[in-house]
Amino acid sequence: MNYRSAEIKDIPGILLLEKKYHKNSISKEDKPGGCIGTFFSEKKLKRLIEEEKGLAVAYDGDRMIGFANSASWRFWQEWPVFHPMIDDLPNIKYKDRVLSADNSYQYGPACIDKDYRGTGVLFNLFECSRLLMKDRYPVLVTYVDQSNQRSFQAHSRKLGCDVVKEFEFHGDKLFVLCYDTSKKTRRTIK
């Protein structure tokens, strides 16, 4: 397995995984395993790679098996849908720190091919993503739909992200989770 910062040449593989596991295009048989809710265009992925340097990818040989997006709140503010999350940051306190766009960033979505779930890929992908962002931001923030229990369990129980509050967003109930980026990811097997 190989985990690294994404490059432009990785975009087609990311787009394929997005299409396969996005909530609007996922197959019925794959949906219980979890899905992603955000779709990135090729242009947005290029910006994530070149400007944010926060997109981590996982490969098994030549096969892309996963990715994890991370970006500054300045990147996300271009989408009006993220404005309520950004506006809510000062209402979140984590490890004695009131959050802001300067001391935190948004992690997610993360997507792993179903054939590799439960194999440790998540731990290594999360760790790769953390390493890409830790020198810029002390706190990772992510939002998980309460109905997506697989993702919630993976991020809270397995990775050790802390639930800091619940958040309602366009009628969806979400958990807000945070992680101290100075901490190495648990059970990393890299």
Side-chain angles (χ1 to χ4, degrees):
M1 302 288 179
N2 182 31
Y3 304 89
R4 61 172 173 76
S5 179
E7 300 171 8
I8 298 300
K9 68 181 181 180
D10 299 315
I11 290 175
I14 295 166
L15 291 171
L16 283 173
L17 282 175
E18 277 186 335
K19 184 176 181 183
K20 186 174 182 181
Y21 295 109
H22 189 272
K23 67 181 181 179
N24 293 336
S25 54
I26 192 169
S27 68
K28 285 183 183 179
E29 57 272 7
D30 286 343
K31 195 161 191 164
C35 59
I36 58 173
T38 304
F39 186 83
F40 289 89
S41 66
E42 184 173 342
K43 183 179 176 182
K44 291 282 187 190
L45 288 170
K46 187 173 188 223
R47 284 196 50 227
L48 267 171
I49 293 166
E50 293 179 339
E51 297 171 24
E52 294 292 319
K53 298 179 181 18
L55 181 52
V57 292
Y59 275 87
D60 182 3
D62 292 337
R63 180 180 176 191
M64 178 178 287
I65 58 169
F67 65 85
N69 290 315
S70 293
S72 69
W73 291 109
R74 283 172 280 297
F75 175 83
W76 299 110
Q77 75 183 358
E78 293 181 17
W79 284 314
V81 73
F82 285 97
H83 290 183
M85 295 170 178
I86 296 167
D87 292 343
D88 190 53
L89 288 172
N91 299 318
I92 302 172
K93 190 173 183 179
Y94 181 65
K95 303 223 182 244
D96 297 323
R97 176 183 280 133
V98 175
L99 297 190
S100 71
D102 294 323
N103 67 13
S104 68
Y105 69 96
Q106 157 73 18
Y107 163 84
C111 181
I112 298 171
D113 188 278
K114 72 177 183 176
D115 294 341
Y116 291 85
R117 294 177 187 169
T119 66
V121 170
L122 175 64
F123 297 101
N124 291 301
L125 193 55
F126 187 84
E127 178 66 4
C128 182
S129 178
R130 180 192 73 85
L131 290 170
L132 294 174
M133 302 299 281
K134 76 176 184 71
D135 292 335
R136 292 179 274 167
Y137 303 100
V139 179
L140 168 155
V141 180
T142 192
Y143 298 80
V144 177
D145 193 305
Q146 291 182 15
S147 67
N148 190 346
Q149 279 299 302
R150 182 176 183 100
S151 180
F152 175 70
Q153 292 300 323
H155 287 89
S156 61
R157 189 173 52 82
K158 292 181 180 180
L159 292 172
C161 293
D162 298 306
V163 177
V164 294
K165 71 182 292 182
E166 294 183 18
F167 188 80
E168 190 157 330
F169 188 63
H170 294 288
D172 294 324
K173 293 182 191 271
L174 308 171
F175 289 114
V176 181
L177 297 99
C178 291
Y179 190 84
D180 176 352
T181 61
S182 69
K183 288 180 9 185
K184 184 177 188 237
T185 305
R186 294 192 260 186
R187 297 194 299 183
T188 304
I189 54 175
K190 221 169 165 185

